[in-house]
Amino acid sequence: MQLENNNENKEPTSTSLSQKKFSIRLFFLGVAIFLIFIMTLIINHARFWLEQPIIVHKTLFEVQSGDSLRKVIESAQQQKLVKNTKLNIPADSILRIYGRWTGTGQKIQAGHFEFEGALSPKDF
């Protein structure tokens, strides 16, 4: 009398394959939802930073023709026009990130500008 092991020769059924595919899809759906949640948090936090005032007094500011975003920010810092946010995040970093992220760093216009009151990086 010989005992046979039925588990060794057993092939997966279509039901077990369907359950595995469903589990894999459910896993990736969960990962996608998690990533969307994280991106939403990052974007909302970035919006908060962009609304923090960085210029606190009335002043005139000149931008020369051909000035880069870096040059404009350095000039503003030399004239002590910008300050760090309440969160101690350097204003120049926020301005550079915002300028690159939105493409406004490539659209700098020459001219004389008057700033009055508190301006956010978006307004600058």
Side-chain angles (χ1 to χ4, degrees):
M1 221 167 127
Q2 187 178 24
L3 295 174
E4 291 183 26
N5 190 351
N6 290 337
N7 292 337
E8 290 179 11
N9 297 330
K10 195 174 186 180
E11 291 187 23
T13 63
S14 63
T15 306
S16 66
L17 288 175
S18 297
Q19 289 174 344
K20 287 181 182 179
K21 287 181 182 178
F22 177 75
S23 296
I24 291 170
R25 288 180 183 155
L26 190 59
F27 171 76
F28 283 114
L29 177 63
V31 169
I33 290 171
F34 176 74
L35 291 175
I36 290 170
F37 174 74
I38 295 298
M39 290 303 296
T40 303
L41 287 176
I42 290 170
I43 290 170
N44 285 334
H45 202 58
R47 285 183 186 165
F48 176 76
W49 286 344
L50 294 175
E51 293 171 358
Q52 296 298 309
I54 59 168
I55 296 179
V56 292
H57 52 80
K58 182 176 181 176
T59 188
L60 295 173
F61 186 69
E62 181 180 359
V63 177
Q64 300 290 329
S65 179
D67 279 356
S68 66
L69 176 63
R70 181 178 299 272
K71 174 76 172 143
V72 170
I73 294 170
E74 287 173 359
S75 295
Q77 285 181 315
Q78 288 172 354
Q79 295 179 30
K80 302 200 184 310
L81 300 180
V82 295
K83 67 177 189 78
N84 293 348
T85 64
K86 292 178 183 176
L87 301 173
N88 284 331
I89 299 170
D92 62 325
S93 297
I94 293 175
L95 288 170
R96 284 187 184 112
I97 291 168
Y98 181 75
R100 290 180 184 150
W101 185 35
T102 61
T104 54
Q106 302 296 322
K107 302 175 187 175
I108 296 175
Q109 297 178 356
H112 296 276
F113 301 92
E114 182 177 355
F115 299 122
E116 185 172 359
L119 290 178
S120 70
K122 272 192 326 190
D123 299 330
F124 183 76

